[in-house]
Amino acid sequence: MKQILVVDDEPRIAEICRDYLQRAGFGVTTAGNGADALALARAKRPDLVVLDLGLPKMDGLDVTRALRQHSNVPIIMLTARVEESDKLVGLELGADDYLTKPFSPRELVARVRAVFRRVDIGPGRADMIRAADITLDVPRMRGHVGTQTVELTSTEFELLAMMMRQPGRVFTRGQLLEAVHGEEGESLDRTIDVHIKNLRRKIERDPRTPRYILTVYGVGYKFTDE
Protein backbone atom coordinates (compact mmCIF):
# COMPACT_ATOMS: atom_id res chain seq x y z
CA MET A 1 0.00 0.00 0.00
CA LYS A 2 1.35 3.40 -1.00
CA GLN A 3 1.78 5.76 1.95
CA ILE A 4 0.87 9.44 1.62
CA LEU A 5 1.62 12.31 3.99
CA VAL A 6 -1.02 15.08 3.88
CA VAL A 7 0.10 18.41 5.33
CA ASP A 8 -2.52 21.12 5.88
CA ASP A 9 -3.25 23.36 8.86
CA GLU A 10 -6.99 23.31 8.11
CA PRO A 11 -8.24 20.12 9.82
CA ARG A 12 -11.31 19.84 7.58
CA ILE A 13 -9.26 19.90 4.39
CA ALA A 14 -6.78 17.38 5.81
CA GLU A 15 -9.69 15.15 6.82
CA ILE A 16 -11.31 15.30 3.37
CA CYS A 17 -7.98 14.53 1.67
CA ARG A 18 -7.38 11.62 4.04
CA ASP A 19 -10.84 10.14 3.54
CA TYR A 20 -10.77 10.27 -0.27
CA LEU A 21 -7.21 8.95 -0.49
CA GLN A 22 -7.96 6.11 1.91
CA ARG A 23 -11.04 5.16 -0.11
CA ALA A 24 -8.76 5.05 -3.15
CA GLY A 25 -6.59 2.47 -1.41
CA PHE A 26 -3.76 4.58 0.01
CA GLY A 27 -2.41 4.73 3.54
CA VAL A 28 -2.54 8.29 4.89
CA THR A 29 -0.82 10.19 7.68
CA THR A 30 -1.63 13.85 8.37
CA ALA A 31 0.30 16.79 9.79
CA GLY A 32 -0.84 20.32 10.59
CA ASN A 33 2.43 22.24 10.41
CA GLY A 34 5.80 22.19 8.70
CA ALA A 35 7.87 20.95 11.62
CA ASP A 36 5.61 17.93 12.17
CA ALA A 37 5.59 17.27 8.43
CA LEU A 38 9.39 17.08 8.28
CA ALA A 39 9.56 14.84 11.34
CA LEU A 40 6.94 12.46 9.89
CA ALA A 41 8.61 12.47 6.49
CA ARG A 42 11.90 11.39 8.06
CA ALA A 43 10.30 8.79 10.33
CA LYS A 44 7.75 7.24 7.96
CA ARG A 45 9.37 7.88 4.55
CA PRO A 46 6.07 8.35 2.67
CA ASP A 47 5.73 7.55 -1.02
CA LEU A 48 4.19 10.97 -1.74
CA VAL A 49 3.51 14.24 0.10
CA VAL A 50 0.42 16.42 -0.39
CA LEU A 51 1.60 19.79 0.92
CA ASP A 52 -0.29 23.02 1.58
CA LEU A 53 1.81 26.09 0.76
CA GLY A 54 -0.01 28.35 3.22
CA LEU A 55 1.22 26.78 6.46
CA PRO A 56 1.84 29.02 9.50
CA LYS A 57 5.41 29.81 10.63
CA MET A 58 7.21 27.36 8.32
CA ASP A 59 5.34 27.57 5.03
CA GLY A 60 5.09 24.94 2.32
CA LEU A 61 7.95 26.39 0.29
CA ASP A 62 10.27 26.07 3.29
CA VAL A 63 9.09 22.50 3.82
CA THR A 64 9.76 21.72 0.15
CA ARG A 65 13.29 23.14 0.42
CA ALA A 66 13.97 21.04 3.51
CA LEU A 67 12.54 17.86 1.97
CA ARG A 68 14.59 18.28 -1.18
CA GLN A 69 17.80 18.38 0.84
CA HIS A 70 17.49 14.67 1.59
CA SER A 71 14.64 13.22 -0.47
CA ASN A 72 13.13 13.10 -3.97
CA VAL A 73 9.71 12.07 -2.64
CA PRO A 74 7.00 13.30 -5.05
CA ILE A 75 5.26 16.46 -3.81
CA ILE A 76 1.84 17.76 -4.84
CA MET A 77 1.31 21.33 -3.65
CA LEU A 78 -2.04 22.68 -2.46
CA THR A 79 -2.25 26.44 -2.82
CA ALA A 80 -4.88 29.11 -2.25
CA ARG A 81 -2.53 31.63 -3.83
CA VAL A 82 -3.76 32.84 -7.19
CA GLU A 83 -0.48 34.29 -8.39
CA GLU A 84 1.16 32.18 -11.07
CA SER A 85 4.58 33.07 -9.66
CA ASP A 86 3.81 31.32 -6.35
CA LYS A 87 3.04 28.06 -8.14
CA LEU A 88 6.12 28.32 -10.33
CA VAL A 89 8.39 28.92 -7.32
CA GLY A 90 7.13 25.69 -5.80
CA LEU A 91 7.83 23.82 -9.02
CA GLU A 92 11.31 25.35 -9.23
CA LEU A 93 12.02 24.07 -5.72
CA GLY A 94 11.21 20.54 -6.88
CA ALA A 95 7.46 19.99 -6.44
CA ASP A 96 5.94 17.65 -9.01
CA ASP A 97 2.46 19.10 -9.37
CA TYR A 98 -0.02 21.49 -7.77
CA LEU A 99 -3.74 22.02 -7.17
CA THR A 100 -5.38 25.37 -6.49
CA LYS A 101 -7.88 25.62 -3.62
CA PRO A 102 -10.76 25.03 -3.70
CA PHE A 103 -10.16 21.73 -5.48
CA SER A 104 -12.10 18.55 -6.10
CA PRO A 105 -10.97 15.67 -3.84
CA ARG A 106 -11.49 13.38 -6.83
CA GLU A 107 -9.05 15.50 -8.82
CA LEU A 108 -6.53 15.15 -6.00
CA VAL A 109 -6.88 11.36 -6.18
CA ALA A 110 -6.44 11.54 -9.98
CA ARG A 111 -3.29 13.65 -9.63
CA VAL A 112 -1.86 11.27 -7.01
CA ARG A 113 -2.50 8.30 -9.29
CA ALA A 114 -0.88 10.17 -12.20
CA VAL A 115 2.27 10.69 -10.13
CA PHE A 116 2.39 7.04 -9.13
CA ARG A 117 1.96 5.98 -12.75
CA ARG A 118 5.16 7.89 -13.49
CA VAL A 119 6.96 6.34 -10.53
CA ASP A 120 5.76 2.75 -11.01
CA ILE A 121 7.40 0.97 -13.89
CA GLY A 122 4.95 -0.62 -16.29
CA PRO A 123 5.59 -3.75 -18.36
CA GLY A 124 7.50 -3.46 -21.58
CA ARG A 125 9.59 -0.45 -20.66
CA ALA A 126 13.32 -0.74 -21.14
CA ASP A 127 15.31 -0.96 -17.94
CA MET A 128 17.99 1.37 -19.28
CA ILE A 129 17.64 4.34 -21.62
CA ARG A 130 20.81 5.74 -23.19
CA ALA A 131 21.32 8.76 -25.42
CA ALA A 132 24.46 10.87 -25.83
CA ASP A 133 26.33 10.34 -22.54
CA ILE A 134 23.17 10.26 -20.41
CA THR A 135 21.88 6.99 -18.97
CA LEU A 136 18.57 6.53 -17.16
CA ASP A 137 18.13 3.53 -14.87
CA VAL A 138 14.36 3.16 -15.14
CA PRO A 139 13.61 0.69 -12.30
CA ARG A 140 15.67 2.74 -9.83
CA MET A 141 14.71 6.12 -11.33
CA ARG A 142 18.34 7.21 -11.36
CA GLY A 143 20.08 9.37 -13.90
CA HIS A 144 23.74 9.47 -14.87
CA VAL A 145 25.60 12.03 -16.95
CA GLY A 146 28.82 10.28 -17.81
CA THR A 147 29.91 8.79 -14.47
CA GLN A 148 28.10 11.39 -12.39
CA THR A 149 24.80 10.53 -10.71
CA VAL A 150 22.07 13.17 -10.89
CA GLU A 151 19.05 13.23 -8.57
CA LEU A 152 15.77 13.72 -10.44
CA THR A 153 12.20 14.10 -9.24
CA SER A 154 9.64 11.71 -10.70
CA THR A 155 8.36 14.40 -13.05
CA GLU A 156 11.84 15.37 -14.21
CA PHE A 157 12.73 11.73 -14.76
CA GLU A 158 9.61 11.03 -16.84
CA LEU A 159 10.07 14.13 -18.97
CA LEU A 160 13.70 13.28 -19.69
CA ALA A 161 12.89 9.62 -20.38
CA MET A 162 10.10 10.59 -22.78
CA MET A 163 12.40 12.85 -24.81
CA MET A 164 15.39 10.48 -24.69
CA ARG A 165 13.31 7.61 -26.09
CA GLN A 166 12.85 9.67 -29.27
CA PRO A 167 15.94 11.85 -29.80
CA GLY A 168 15.35 14.65 -32.25
CA ARG A 169 11.56 14.59 -31.97
CA VAL A 170 10.01 17.95 -31.12
CA PHE A 171 7.48 17.74 -28.28
CA THR A 172 4.98 20.52 -27.72
CA ARG A 173 4.40 21.78 -24.20
CA GLY A 174 0.91 20.30 -24.39
CA GLN A 175 2.25 16.85 -25.22
CA LEU A 176 4.74 17.01 -22.37
CA LEU A 177 2.08 18.23 -19.93
CA GLU A 178 -0.29 15.43 -20.88
CA ALA A 179 2.49 12.85 -20.56
CA VAL A 180 3.35 13.77 -16.98
CA HIS A 181 0.05 15.09 -15.63
CA GLY A 182 -2.53 13.28 -17.72
CA GLU A 183 -5.65 15.08 -18.85
CA GLU A 184 -6.92 15.83 -15.34
CA GLY A 185 -7.37 19.36 -14.10
CA GLU A 186 -5.42 22.55 -14.47
CA SER A 187 -1.83 23.03 -15.56
CA LEU A 188 0.03 26.15 -16.57
CA ASP A 189 1.92 26.03 -19.85
CA ARG A 190 4.89 27.42 -17.96
CA THR A 191 4.87 24.35 -15.70
CA ILE A 192 6.85 22.48 -18.36
CA ASP A 193 9.26 25.40 -18.75
CA VAL A 194 10.07 25.24 -15.04
CA HIS A 195 10.66 21.48 -15.11
CA ILE A 196 12.91 21.87 -18.17
CA LYS A 197 14.82 24.65 -16.39
CA ASN A 198 15.37 22.33 -13.41
CA LEU A 199 16.46 19.48 -15.69
CA ARG A 200 18.96 21.66 -17.50
CA ARG A 201 20.41 22.81 -14.21
CA LYS A 202 21.01 19.17 -13.28
CA ILE A 203 22.25 17.63 -16.55
CA GLU A 204 23.75 20.43 -18.61
CA ARG A 205 27.32 21.65 -18.16
CA ASP A 206 26.11 25.16 -18.98
CA PRO A 207 22.31 25.45 -18.60
CA ARG A 208 22.37 28.79 -20.46
CA THR A 209 23.79 27.04 -23.53
CA PRO A 210 22.18 23.60 -23.39
CA ARG A 211 23.62 20.66 -25.26
CA TYR A 212 20.94 18.04 -24.62
CA ILE A 213 17.54 19.69 -24.20
CA LEU A 214 16.98 22.29 -26.89
CA THR A 215 14.19 24.83 -27.18
CA VAL A 216 12.23 24.84 -30.42
CA TYR A 217 10.85 28.36 -30.30
CA GLY A 218 7.12 28.66 -30.63
CA VAL A 219 6.69 24.89 -30.33
CA GLY A 220 8.35 23.17 -27.38
CA TYR A 221 11.47 21.11 -26.72
CA LYS A 222 13.55 18.25 -28.07
CA PHE A 223 16.40 16.07 -26.83
CA THR A 224 19.40 15.84 -29.10
CA ASP A 225 22.07 13.14 -28.95
CA GLU A 226 24.23 14.69 -31.67
Side-chain angles (χ1 to χ4, degrees), residues 106-123:
R106 291 184 178 86
E107 184 178 351
L108 173 62
V109 172
R111 291 295 184 104
V112 167
R113 285 174 170 158
V115 170
F116 284 138
R117 281 197 299 271
R118 299 198 296 270
V119 173
D120 296 336
I121 307 305

Side-chain angles (χ1 to χ4, degrees), residues 142-212:
R142 292 177 183 168
H144 302 272
V145 180
T147 59
Q148 181 179 358
T149 300
V150 291
E151 297 294 334
L152 304 172
T153 68
S154 64
T155 299
E156 292 164 358
F157 190 95
E158 184 59 29
L159 280 173
L160 185 56
M162 179 179 180
M163 290 187 289
M164 284 179 60
R165 288 188 180 102
Q166 300 183 68
R169 175 182 169 180
V170 178
F171 292 92
T172 66
R173 288 174 176 82
Q175 289 170 328
L176 295 171
L177 273 172
E178 184 174 343
V180 298
H181 291 163
E183 298 180 352
E184 307 94 346
E186 59 170 330
S187 282
L188 299 170
D189 283 345
R190 288 184 62 196
T191 296
I192 289 298
D193 296 336
V194 174
H195 290 311
I196 294 294
K197 177 182 175 182
N198 289 342
L199 266 173
R200 283 173 170 164
R201 189 171 64 243
K202 292 179 179 183
I203 69 172
E204 301 281 3
R205 179 172 296 178
D206 181 0
R208 296 169 298 181
T209 310
R211 170 189 171 188
Y212 304 111

Side-chain angles (χ1 to χ4, degrees), residues 1 11 40 45 58 71-73 80-82 90 110-111 197 221:
M1 180 184 293
L40 286 168
R45 301 179 65 84
M58 185 182 195
S71 172
N72 280 323
V73 61
R81 302 171 183 177
V82 297
R111 291 295 184 104
K197 177 182 175 182
Y221 299 96

